[in-house]
Amino acid sequence: MTDNLTPAKIVWQPLPGSQAAAISCPCNELLYEGSRGPGKTDCQVMAFRRYVGKGYGKHWRGVIFDRQYSSLDDLIAKSKLWFPQFKDGAKFLSSKGDLKWVWPNGEELLFRQITKEADYSKYHGHQYPFIGWNELTKFANPKVYDLMKSCNRSGFLPEEHTPFTYAIDGSKIWLTEDGKILPNIPLFIFATTNPIGPGHAWVKKRFIDVAEPGEIVKEVTNVFNPRTQQREDIVRTQVRLFGSYKENKYLDPVYVASLENEKDENRRKAWLHGDWNIVAGGALDDLWKPSVHVIPRFDIPKNWLVDRAFDWGSTHPASVGWYAEANGEEIKLSNGEIFAPRRGSIIRFNEWYLAKRDAVNEGLKMSGGDIASGILEREMEMLKKKWVLTVPIAGPADNQIFQNPQSDVKSIGDKMAEIGVKWTKSDKSNGSRVNGLQLIRDRLEASIRGEGPGIYFTDNCKHAISLLPVLPRDPDKPDDVDTLAEDHLYDEVRYRVLDSSRKMLGGLKTNYAH
């Protein structure tokens, strides 16, 4: 038995710092990132629980996603620790593919697996005011994240759906804690992650590079509002919050010691410090050494082979890379150092990456003819600046450009050739993907050891320097890269590395005019 002076039991409260900021976050999208151990998981499930029992009922519905059901075990365990303590009738239902909490008033929190675009069809048309993502960098690209945004919605209308009863005089009495009409239901996407995994690059680009922790990013869109029947500027907001294990007083120091003793330097930086300036778990990161593989741009000697490679893309990015093949000569770089690549080494000295700015894995939808014209303009500019002294010759391209969709329609390759840009076919034989990755790795290692033909990238190739080190392996085919990631520039490099038969410039000029 209790009296009115007995204080209410506090089941859970956020720790000062990042947890407190996350649980009260006013933004539409939140990335709770940082080191391991600040309590991101607890905070995510409690962010949903915050609005249970407020009167929204069946309109308050949430889902938390992961790539594997097994990875949701910790989230479910945390929810089972906290939710029953509220004594509000919450029940956890478990059956094959259906794991969820339900409340007597109709609220629901689902735990679901999602791995690819096709999985979105299971949720098309659903309404989830709350969407959670567990370890967002597990997703190699943002496609399913962006598709599920269409489900971050609610049909709740405060005037119609706030629970009420009628007074004797016929007026409404709102059945809320404060006796007032409820505010609009919040629309919230809550993602957690450490800076490591297949999606490291796109998450960093979208959330980390655009703003400092706690700095709100706004996107204003003018739309027709069905509720007011007029056009209005609608603002969506996103923020990232950094959490450190140092904030969590409940964390066992033995656990911290295990982070300190992590042998892999990149994982240690990610897990202990939440450092996004790392590369780990990728197809090339263990061999990528910027101090070795990235060099100042230099003017290519006249008797070096100069060509280009191309990966076609329209809705996805296209990539053009210009290459020089060393003949054993030494070069003095702008920083005064002597660069002496082994004969046959490849230097990628210029690039044109046709990607939509401030987007992830989206192309410019340019025609083959326009791309060819752009290539010629850039090559004329390179000759004018004396970056090269000979016109680049034809190199390997994505074989898709040589296909004729109809017998009476010219291929993309034909249209480019008419403008003056010709290509050779790339190696897409059986096993070429696995072989190509290994050859690139061999060249990266050769550059480090100074033994045999290597591969280098001049410092003006910003996209290559950004994308290649974080390219993930295919989780199902570890000898290949993940084709769901932004791999177009990599494919272009792979075509050139595989194209090993074209060695001597003199014998090639007679075969390729441009």
Side-chain angles (χ1 to χ4, degrees):
M1 184 173 180
T2 61
D3 55 43
N4 292 335
L5 298 179
T6 303
K9 177 185 177 183
I10 297 176
V11 175
W12 182 89
Q13 64 181 7
L15 294 166
S18 62
Q19 273 198 354
I23 205 70
S24 60
C25 179
C27 296
N28 300 109
E29 294 180 66
L30 164 64
L31 179 72
Y32 192 1
E33 50 94 10
S35 74
R36 298 184 69 171
K40 297 189 291 290
T41 301
D42 287 28
C43 200
Q44 186 177 49
V45 295
M46 297 308 291
F48 173 84
R49 178 59 186 73
R50 181 185 175 196
Y51 290 96
V52 171
K54 297 295 185 182
Y56 292 113
K58 64 182 180 181
H59 293 281
W60 183 240
R61 195 162 186 250
V63 59
I64 299 180
F65 289 112
D66 199 294
R67 279 183 61 87
Q68 297 90 23
Y69 269 115
S70 59
S71 298
L72 290 165
D73 288 347
D74 187 49
L75 277 158
I76 294 171
K78 292 294 179 63
S79 68
K80 287 182 175 180
L81 172 65
W82 299 118
F83 288 179
Q85 296 185 50
F86 287 95
K87 300 185 184 305
D88 55 5
K91 292 183 179 180
F92 184 72
L93 305 181
S94 176
S95 62
K96 186 177 181 181
D98 188 19
L99 306 171
K100 65 180 179 179
W101 283 96
V102 296
W103 281 263
N105 291 327
E107 299 97 334
E108 287 188 340
L109 176 60
L110 289 66
F111 300 91
R112 292 289 184 269
Q113 177 189 45
I114 192 167
T115 59
K116 54 187 182 297
E117 288 180 82
D119 293 338
Y120 163 74
S121 62
K122 304 172 187 176
Y123 305 96
H124 182 76
H126 290 199
Q127 296 186 30
Y128 298 106
F130 180 95
I131 298 179
W133 296 89
N134 186 42
E135 293 297 340
L136 190 58
T137 53
K138 287 183 179 179
F139 296 86
N141 62 62
K143 291 180 180 178
V144 291
Y145 179 90
D146 288 337
L147 284 170
M148 283 306 305
K149 276 186 176 182
S150 68
C151 299
N152 187 216
R153 59 183 180 141
S154 172
F156 180 83
L157 294 175
E159 297 81 2
E160 292 185 23
H161 298 131
T162 299
F164 66 89
T165 187
Y166 287 107
I168 296 176
D169 62 0
S171 62
K172 285 184 177 180
I173 299 176
W174 304 109
L175 300 177
T176 54
E177 290 180 0
D178 57 4
K180 297 179 181 179
I181 190 170
L182 286 169
N184 284 319
I185 205 165
L187 301 182
F188 198 26
I189 298 176
F190 191 128
T192 65
T193 199
N194 300 121
I196 198 168
H200 177 103
W202 79 262
V203 174
K204 183 175 185 291
K205 182 176 181 179
R206 179 172 297 191
F207 293 97
I208 307 303
D209 294 343
V210 296
E212 295 298 316
E215 181 182 346
I216 296 176
V217 178
K218 297 181 179 180
E219 180 184 62
V220 181
T221 308
N222 187 263
V223 304
F224 178 82
N225 186 343
R227 297 186 177 183
T228 62
Q229 292 293 300
Q230 62 185 15
R231 296 201 68 86
E232 299 175 10
D233 284 341
I234 301 299
V235 180
R236 281 188 62 89
T237 55
Q238 78 170 43
V239 70
R240 66 159 170 134
L241 296 174
F242 177 86
S244 169
Y245 71 90
K246 297 178 181 179
E247 302 173 75
N248 190 352
K249 65 181 181 180
Y250 300 106
L251 204 62
D252 192 319
V254 175
Y255 174 75
V256 179
S258 70
L259 300 181
E260 290 277 7
N261 292 324
E262 168 59 44
K263 297 288 190 289
D264 185 280
E265 181 181 1
N266 283 313
R267 278 199 292 268
R268 185 170 64 255
K269 288 180 178 179
W271 291 351
L272 192 65
H273 304 297
D275 186 354
W276 285 90
N277 296 313
I278 56 99
V279 288
L284 304 171
D285 65 277
D286 58 319
L287 293 172
W288 181 269
K289 307 293 181 187
S291 60
V292 173
H293 300 113
V294 181
I295 60 175
R297 192 203 61 76
F298 61 94
D299 295 342
I300 308 300
K302 184 177 181 180
N303 54 345
W304 284 22
L305 183 151
V306 177
D307 63 359
R308 61 177 119 74
F310 176 54
D311 186 60
W312 165 254
S314 178
T315 56
H316 289 119
S319 182
V320 185
W322 283 269
Y323 296 82
E325 189 167 315
N327 66 357
E329 295 179 15
E330 292 184 348
I331 299 296
K332 188 173 182 178
L333 301 174
S334 58
N335 60 7
E337 293 181 1
I338 298 299
F339 177 50
R342 292 301 181 97
R343 182 181 179 87
S345 292
I346 296 171
I347 297 90
R348 190 175 187 272
F349 68 89
N350 202 8
E351 67 178 9
W352 184 21
Y353 193 59
L354 291 80
K356 190 175 180 181
R357 188 175 181 181
D358 299 327
V360 177
N361 212 15
E362 291 186 31
L364 298 180
K365 299 181 181 179
M366 290 178 62
S367 68
D370 287 343
I371 293 175
S373 297
I375 289 172
L376 290 181
E377 290 175 8
R378 285 161 175 77
E379 292 181 351
M380 293 304 103
E381 187 67 17
M382 284 188 281
L383 287 164
K384 182 179 178 180
K385 293 180 177 179
K386 299 188 184 300
W387 286 19
V388 294
L389 299 175
T390 57
V391 176
I393 63 171
D398 184 351
N399 290 345
Q400 183 181 350
I401 70 168
F402 301 112
Q403 297 174 1
N404 297 79
Q406 299 175 5
S407 58
D408 58 341
V409 176
K410 294 180 179 179
S411 69
I412 295 169
D414 291 335
K415 293 176 182 178
M416 296 180 85
E418 288 179 349
I419 294 173
V421 177
K422 297 180 180 179
W423 303 101
T424 61
K425 288 188 175 181
S426 59
D427 181 0
K428 287 201 171 182
S429 60
N430 186 33
S432 61
R433 291 191 60 86
V434 171
N435 188 36
L437 174 58
Q438 188 57 50
L439 287 175
I440 293 175
R441 289 180 57 82
D442 290 345
R443 281 184 175 267
L444 289 171
E445 187 171 13
S447 297
I448 295 170
R449 295 178 178 274
E451 300 173 357
I455 186 169
Y456 303 88
F457 301 82
T458 56
D459 53 13
N460 57 303
C461 293
K462 303 297 185 184
H463 292 285
I465 296 167
S466 172
L467 293 172
L468 290 178
V470 296
L471 186 69
R473 289 183 182 270
D474 188 320
D476 300 318
K477 301 176 182 177
D479 291 331
D480 196 0
V481 305
D482 192 332
T483 57
L484 296 177
E486 194 162 351
D487 64 344
H488 318 286
L489 188 146
Y490 161 79
D491 282 339
E492 170 241 297
V493 175
R494 178 169 59 86
Y495 299 153
R496 179 59 183 87
V497 170
L498 281 166
D499 194 36
S500 58
S501 62
R502 296 156 50 250
K503 293 295 184 181
M504 300 301 294
L505 180 60
L508 290 167
K509 277 189 172 181
T510 57
N511 295 326
Y512 307 108
H514 193 82

